[in-house]
Amino acid sequence: MSLPVIVLYSRNYELLSQLPTRLEGLCSLIMCDSVDDARELCPRYKPDTFVADVRHVQNGGGAEEKLLSDVTRSLPKSEVILITSPECPASLRAKRSEDHFQHIPDFQKVEDLVQMLLISDADFDTKEYPELHDEPAPVAPVAPEVRERIDPALVHDKSAVVLTGLTRQFETNSTQLKQMLAELEIAARHNVTILLIGETGSGKTFLSKLIHEISPRREAPFLHVACGALPAELIESEMFGHAKGAFTSAHVEKEGKFVAAGQGTILLDEIDVLGPEQQVKLLRVIETGEFEAVGSNRTLRSQARLVVASNLNLQPLVEQGRFRPDLYYRLNMLKFEIPPLRQRKADIIPLARKFVKQMAEKHHIEITHIEDELLMSLLSYPWPGNVRELENVIQRAVIYCTEGILRTKHLPSHVINGEVGPSNDPSVSMPSTQSRLSSLNEQVALTEREIIEQVLVRNNQSRTNTAKELGISRVTLYNKMKKYGMTK
């Protein structure tokens, strides 16, 4: 039996980011945030249900009215659901009374919308089926415009999510990061400033380039400004440029990054080092696009998209008077926090294997096997340097491997001995040798149990919803819970 097809039109990022997770495996969901896209997608997919969120329309809602008329005329068998609010035009609110429209008030939660879209099945908590053979969870068809960003080898691997750009991809098994990637992909397609917060080495620069590559600006330049590596007096010149003679060493006019980027993307890294005057000028660029080069009175206009990053949480800096509140609230609107690697244990082994392959090819070294003890050491270490540290450790191990088998002895001594370096998180510590688990399987089992417990809590102990979020069948979930002593 094929899954029902739902096309959703909305300008609400929260709705667009939450529904894919809630409806995964239950339907084929195609989302869009423009009337033109909705007009193209409806005849192509002929949905069972078309959902139109008309709470935030432009120019009086005329385009949405025309869209609804076209859909009801061309797809008479499709159900049409309107999400309205008192603020939307009266002509759109009036359609609620027409026979072929169902209506959802704007205060309704996403969960309620899901219940209206699909009739939920009985919760697995009320029954237990240990005698049943395991069966795979249903996989929703992937829309063509989304499929191009998913690694084909992982389309049927429900444990990983892969976001792919032109030259790079970001893969994760972490439930927390899966949600973040879904939201980030939506934000990347729009002309909005994005804030990335994460410890050193967690992948901020990598994600910034990926944001650029999946955005409509992918053909334009991507420029990186490492604010923390520049003297305070040169940061402004690097961003905005300077006129000839603006300061002692300004012998020629210089074009700043905001001009050089054109319609591309600029990453401003370590944004927390900017001084008060630079913060004011940055806020002006974000809000109006306008700026002046150092020593010039001519106003220029930036067409670039900004991604700003910091390894510090900005809120304490605001409280300390080191960061402007107005800039903080402007940036905080689309903030994405990248969790440190020690909180993403499910990603450590896949990343390690990926780096082994890359480094073996780079250094022309044949690796035929990786010992379980080495992988267990990687899982035990808290990685204060995050993904960058893991990559460097794997490179060192590969170049010292001469017999084709990666062993624990190839790791640097500080990883083996648990000598943890400096970290932003003072709670980072290495477990004692006695407390380490005796086998890789026990480490993996502990991580899997922790993930299941977290998702159960998030879904109010509902096994049905937990299985859907994890991408496994309910029987598989039951068997794993039974294995780890989690059933009553």
Side-chain angles (χ1 to χ4, degrees), residues 71-234:
V71 169
T72 53
R73 183 180 64 256
S74 61
L75 300 171
K77 295 183 179 180
S78 296
E79 180 182 38
V80 180
I81 295 177
L82 289 180
I83 307 177
T84 62
S85 70
E87 290 75 27
C88 71
S91 57
L92 289 173
R93 295 201 307 274
K95 288 187 174 293
R96 296 178 299 186
S97 59
E98 297 182 20
D99 291 339
H100 42 262
F101 291 115
Q102 293 195 48
H103 169 238
I104 302 174
D106 65 338
F107 54 79
Q108 191 144 358
K109 295 180 180 179
V110 173
E111 290 85 351
D112 297 328
L113 176 57
V114 172
Q115 292 299 325
M116 188 167 185
L117 294 179
L118 298 167
I119 300 175
S120 61
D121 54 15
D123 197 302
F124 189 51
D125 287 333
T126 61
K127 297 180 182 179
E128 296 183 346
Y129 306 97
E131 73 281 4
L132 292 179
H133 293 293
D134 198 3
E135 58 183 11
V139 179
V142 183
E145 45 276 336
V146 177
R147 184 181 296 277
E148 66 183 17
R149 288 195 286 275
I150 300 179
D151 185 342
L154 293 170
V155 168
H156 300 294
D157 181 1
K158 301 289 285 186
S159 66
V161 165
V162 184
L163 189 60
T164 303
L166 298 175
T167 65
R168 65 196 63 237
Q169 64 181 23
F170 193 103
E171 176 181 343
T172 185
N173 295 276
S174 162
T175 302
Q176 184 180 358
L177 263 181
K178 287 178 184 179
Q179 179 67 20
M180 191 200 78
L181 285 185
E183 296 173 359
L184 192 63
E185 181 178 5
I186 294 171
R189 292 190 282 112
H190 297 273
N191 186 29
V192 290
T193 300
I194 291 176
L195 171 62
L196 300 178
I197 300 292
E199 292 183 6
T200 299
S202 59
K204 298 186 295 297
T205 301
F206 187 94
L207 265 181
S208 299
K209 292 178 180 177
L210 185 55
I211 289 169
H212 174 70
E213 291 186 1
I214 65 176
S215 77
R217 300 171 180 266
R218 63 178 69 91
E219 302 299 330
F222 174 90
L223 301 181
H224 182 184
V225 181
C227 300
L230 295 170
E233 61 273 13
L234 292 183

Side-chain angles (χ1 to χ4, degrees), residues 2-8 27-30 37-51 70-80 143-145:
S2 60
L3 295 172
V5 177
I6 297 174
V7 171
L8 166 68
C27 70
S28 177
L29 177 65
I30 299 99
D37 287 347
R39 186 172 284 111
E40 178 185 341
L41 291 171
C42 283
R44 185 195 307 176
Y45 291 101
K46 296 181 173 57
D48 300 278
T49 303
F50 173 60
V51 183
D70 291 345
V71 169
T72 53
R73 183 180 64 256
S74 61
L75 300 171
K77 295 183 179 180
S78 296
E79 180 182 38
V80 180
E145 45 276 336

Side-chain angles (χ1 to χ4, degrees), residues 199-385:
E199 292 183 6
T200 299
S202 59
K204 298 186 295 297
T205 301
F206 187 94
L207 265 181
S208 299
K209 292 178 180 177
L210 185 55
I211 289 169
H212 174 70
E213 291 186 1
I214 65 176
S215 77
R217 300 171 180 266
R218 63 178 69 91
E219 302 299 330
F222 174 90
L223 301 181
H224 182 184
V225 181
C227 300
L230 295 170
E233 61 273 13
L234 292 183
I235 293 177
E236 205 170 314
S237 171
E238 188 70 15
M239 291 193 297
F240 306 124
H242 63 249
K244 181 180 178 180
F247 44 86
T248 306
S249 59
H251 303 302
V252 294
E253 181 178 330
K254 177 184 176 181
E255 185 181 70
K257 291 293 194 293
F258 280 103
V259 173
Q263 295 185 346
T265 303
I266 299 174
L267 167 61
L268 295 181
D269 203 0
E270 295 186 74
I271 192 76
D272 48 278
V273 306
L274 296 185
E277 292 185 6
Q278 295 161 346
Q279 293 176 29
V280 171
K281 293 182 179 181
L282 177 60
L283 178 61
R284 181 187 175 206
V285 174
I286 293 174
E287 292 186 337
T288 68
E290 295 179 347
F291 66 95
E292 288 83 33
V294 178
S296 172
N297 292 323
R298 184 162 64 98
T299 299
L300 303 174
R301 187 174 184 84
S302 170
Q303 295 181 308
R305 190 259 191 83
L306 272 179
V307 178
V308 297
S310 175
N311 58 7
L312 299 176
N313 195 322
L314 298 181
Q315 184 173 346
L317 302 184
V318 175
E319 296 168 356
Q320 297 164 20
R322 294 168 51 194
F323 204 86
R324 291 181 62 91
D326 48 3
L327 178 57
Y328 166 74
Y329 288 115
R330 184 67 177 77
L331 296 176
N332 205 54
M333 182 179 66
L334 282 171
K335 179 178 74 170
F336 297 88
E337 296 192 33
I338 308 171
L341 189 57
R342 61 186 167 276
Q343 294 178 13
R344 300 160 43 195
K345 285 199 171 185
D347 286 343
I348 291 176
I349 291 180
L351 278 171
R353 294 187 184 280
K354 172 186 172 183
F355 291 145
V356 167
K357 183 176 183 295
Q358 290 177 351
M359 296 307 170
E361 292 175 354
K362 176 181 177 181
H363 297 287
H364 307 290
I365 296 173
E366 184 179 4
I367 303 294
T368 59
H369 181 66
I370 305 173
E371 279 193 341
D372 285 355
E373 288 76 10
L374 180 143
L375 296 176
M376 186 178 69
S377 295
L378 298 182
L379 283 170
S380 300
Y381 187 71
W383 302 107

